[in-house]
Amino acid sequence: MKRYQEHHLQKPITPDLLMTPSDRDDAELEMEYPEDRGNWSGKLDFLLSCIGYCVGLGNVWRFPYRAYTNGGGAFLIPYFIMLAICGIPLFFMELSLGQFSSLGPLAVWKISPLFKGVGMGMLLIVALVAIYYNMIIAYVLFYLFASLTSSLPWEHCGNWWNTDLCLDHHVIRASNSAMPINISSTVSPSEEYWSRYVLHIQGSSGIGDPGQIRWKLCLCLLLAWIIVYLCILKGVKSSGKVVYFTATFPYLILIMLLIRGVTLDGAWIGIKFYLTPQFDHLLSSKVWIEAALQIFYSLGVGFGGLLTFASYNTFHQNIYRDTFIVTLGNAFTSILAGFAIFSVLGYMSKELGVPVDQVAKAGPGLAFVVYPQAMTMLPLSPFWSFLFFFMLLTLGLDSQFAFMETIVTAITDEFPYYLRPKKAFFSLIICVALFLLGLILTTDGGMYWLVLLDDYSAGFGLLVLVITFCLVVSRIYGIKSFCRDIQMMLGFKPGIYFKACWAFLSPVTLIGLLAYSIIKYQPSQYGSYQFPLWSEALGILMGLLSCMMIPIGMLVAILKEEGTLWERIRQASRPAMDWGPSLEENRTGMYVHTLAGSQSPKPLMVHMRKYGGITSYENTAIEVDKEIEEESMM
């Protein structure tokens, strides 16, 4: 129902009980309403979008490596503990706030306008991440097209981009039965294909010398942005349908790769290496920090994507159930991906005659060097290579959809009258702008800029924003008020577990992560290349800029209020007059007073007269009203 109250209207409001039907119709005709935000068109759209957003590239190329370097199977103990303390509660908090308000990351700060800068910081981080994340998707597209051949181009040496240090696995396997070869001073064909052909990094002397644009990479980046734009063209109406494929198909490919992997000779060497528990690692604080970081970044908390997706839900969607489905599903997907990856690495280590830890890598090194090399050792290698990169493509696109929808939704919610009718055109402008900003990543030295963005754009700045987010909801707005809002939506209040995490455990854990990241700070590097001081300063400034949005937002909010400084701060920290559910039929309980009939003695009766009867959720609203009255009398 397209009814939105404008609290700034100065016209006197006639109580609804005193209005005739004709008066009510005339009043509605005189008001202008912004275009409807829309909702998910299917029941599974939201759930699959969240799964696609959380299950991304990090599940494949970061979790397995973090697991084996931090105690193997023993790493799962701190991993699931951190999931319970930090992951699930923050995930549920962000979903609840988005669904209750039906607003994006900027407009949702009607809950406490003083802290709107948190939303501005989220938007800045998401924009920076979207720039380099789509470049990774461009790399995947490059390899996807390169796999459409009878022989993979990174299978052998002897190409123009190879050096004298290149040594392929066929020579290594032949030498295992004769004279062992020291491979420490050699380079695999897949590594030279990645660095010297795809990146052409030899054309750059460092981050200050980007070199020329690699036009093949530029076209792949353009194609990636075209795919993203076409999928978000109609907002969640279109992206919600695309995820039925992009969120489910990766599981099919992952299972195929797993079955193929475990049937290879030597696969169990890799799996044993991956899961053998080393319980002595649990005494190290680093292992617990690594587990918390993996949970934090894997679930995508604090980027605004979860809040945006939930804002398109119906008011009574069961996000409590969805929280556990997505968070636990994400965890088990990471574990499953570890089996698929390390089974192939075990086979590879046996073929090369080297330990598993000499072939195992994390990040782009795993996706674009190690795994492609392993594919060349298999029969029908182009087929398995195509499947692997197609899986990475679908995993990456889901997350990119969320980043773009977050940016577009946040800004259109701020200017609904102007931008919602032109949302498709506005999305095009955002995509073109981010594509142009990402062109530097397609140069010879583009990888240096990508590493800098990856290290700093969503580092300590994101932690500061999420800590503030959690404290504002739990301390400023209040856990009691927040639980009442959730009760209005779901019909029940969160238990002691969520309250304890929101009030103490989650913020303390996040503060510990922030302190650890500052104390253990290490300058960025790519391979043996050390980044210059000016680039480090630029990266730190990138992180600080998102944090600076908080005091900037505070200053703006305080200047909008009247009175003394303390009075302005108090007023700006309180929820705005129009804070609450966006649709009138959902404004029950304490939120009825902002309806057109709220000047009458019985606002809840007005609400019942408009929308008919008392539902189970309105019974909840009556109970909330009674609690408020009892507290005010105490």
Side-chain angles (χ1 to χ4, degrees), residues 292-560:
L293 287 172
Q294 178 63 32
I295 288 293
F296 182 75
Y297 287 107
S298 178
L299 292 178
V301 176
F303 288 92
L306 298 172
L307 194 149
T308 300
F309 282 161
S311 72
Y312 290 102
N313 278 344
T314 56
F315 190 69
H316 301 302
Q317 169 83 13
N318 190 353
I319 49 174
Y320 183 79
R321 172 202 60 202
D322 294 342
T323 294
F324 286 96
I325 291 175
V326 177
T327 53
L328 294 177
N330 174 71
F332 287 112
T333 302
S334 298
I335 297 171
L336 183 68
F339 281 101
I341 295 297
F342 272 88
S343 60
V344 174
L345 294 184
Y347 163 75
M348 185 177 172
S349 72
K350 185 171 183 180
E351 287 287 298
L352 299 178
V354 297
V356 178
D357 59 354
Q358 288 190 23
V359 296
K361 291 185 179 181
L366 173 67
F368 301 116
V369 176
V370 176
Y371 213 82
Q373 182 184 0
M375 294 296 100
T376 63
M377 302 179 184
L378 300 175
L380 300 174
S381 55
F383 170 74
W384 293 109
S385 177
F386 181 86
L387 280 185
F388 175 71
F389 287 109
F390 193 76
M391 179 185 73
L392 293 185
L393 175 65
T394 52
L395 288 174
L397 283 175
D398 289 331
S399 300
Q400 189 69 6
F401 294 159
F403 297 147
M404 293 307 300
E405 195 61 54
T406 299
I407 297 170
V408 173
T409 296
I411 301 175
T412 52
D413 279 352
E414 284 293 292
F415 308 99
Y417 290 94
Y418 306 105
L419 294 181
R420 277 185 194 163
K422 304 172 184 176
K423 191 173 182 179
F425 180 69
F426 180 65
S427 300
L428 176 62
I429 293 174
I430 296 294
C431 288
V432 171
L434 295 183
F435 165 70
L436 293 176
L437 290 171
L439 283 178
I440 194 171
L441 303 179
T442 65
T443 60
D444 294 335
M447 177 52 68
Y448 299 127
W449 285 97
L450 190 145
V451 170
L452 191 72
L453 283 168
D454 186 36
D455 286 350
Y456 291 101
S457 62
F460 66 89
L462 182 63
L463 286 169
V464 170
L465 294 179
V466 177
I467 291 168
T468 308
F469 175 86
C470 187
L471 291 176
V472 169
V473 175
S474 62
R475 301 292 180 179
I476 307 297
Y477 186 62
I479 287 182
K480 187 173 290 186
S481 299
F482 188 54
C483 289
R484 281 178 186 153
D485 294 344
I486 294 174
Q487 187 180 14
M488 283 179 61
M489 291 191 299
L490 306 181
F492 62 89
K493 287 184 178 181
I496 188 67
Y497 157 65
F498 282 103
K499 292 178 182 178
C501 288
W502 291 335
F504 180 74
L505 294 177
S506 296
V508 168
T509 303
L510 292 174
I511 292 171
L513 286 178
L514 178 61
Y516 180 84
S517 65
I518 295 173
I519 294 171
K520 296 293 184 179
Y521 168 77
Q522 291 182 342
S524 296
Q525 66 178 63
Y526 180 70
S528 59
Y529 175 77
Q530 297 288 336
F531 282 66
L533 287 176
W534 68 264
S535 63
E536 290 295 320
L538 182 63
I540 294 172
L541 182 63
M542 198 187 306
L544 288 175
L545 190 59
S546 59
C547 300
M548 288 301 295
M549 293 294 107
I550 299 176
I552 291 173
M554 285 180 171
L555 181 62
V556 172
I558 290 171
L559 291 176
K560 287 182 178 179

Side-chain angles (χ1 to χ4, degrees), residues 60 75 82 125 144 154 324 376 403 431 574:
V60 175
F75 179 73
M82 289 301 172
I125 287 175
L144 193 68
W154 57 85
F324 286 96
T376 63
F403 297 147
C431 288
R574 293 169 180 163

Side-chain angles (χ1 to χ4, degrees), residues 3-13 27 30-34 110 416-418 577-578 582 584 587 594-596:
R3 298 180 178 181
Y4 292 82
Q5 279 300 114
E6 292 181 319
H7 71 277
H8 60 276
L9 290 178
Q10 300 299 317
K11 292 178 63 177
I13 301 173
E30 290 175 3
M31 296 183 65
E32 291 185 18
Y33 300 100
K110 291 177 181 180
Y417 290 94
Y418 306 105
M577 287 297 295
D578 55 346
S582 63
E584 287 186 9
R587 281 186 173 269
T594 59
L595 291 172

Side-chain angles (χ1 to χ4, degrees), residues 160-161 163 191-198 200-202:
W160 67 260
W161 59 82
T163 64
E191 187 168 350
E192 290 200 337
Y193 179 82
W194 164 243
S195 62
R196 297 182 59 82
Y197 180 71
V198 179
H200 198 256
I201 205 164
Q202 70 271 21

Side-chain angles (χ1 to χ4, degrees), residues 64 111 118 132 149 214 231 356 378 418 445 456 472 540 614 623:
I111 191 174
V118 175
Y132 80 81
T149 179
R214 301 282 294 159
C231 291
V356 178
L378 300 175
Y418 306 105
Y456 291 101
V472 169
I540 294 172
I614 300 180
E623 293 174 8

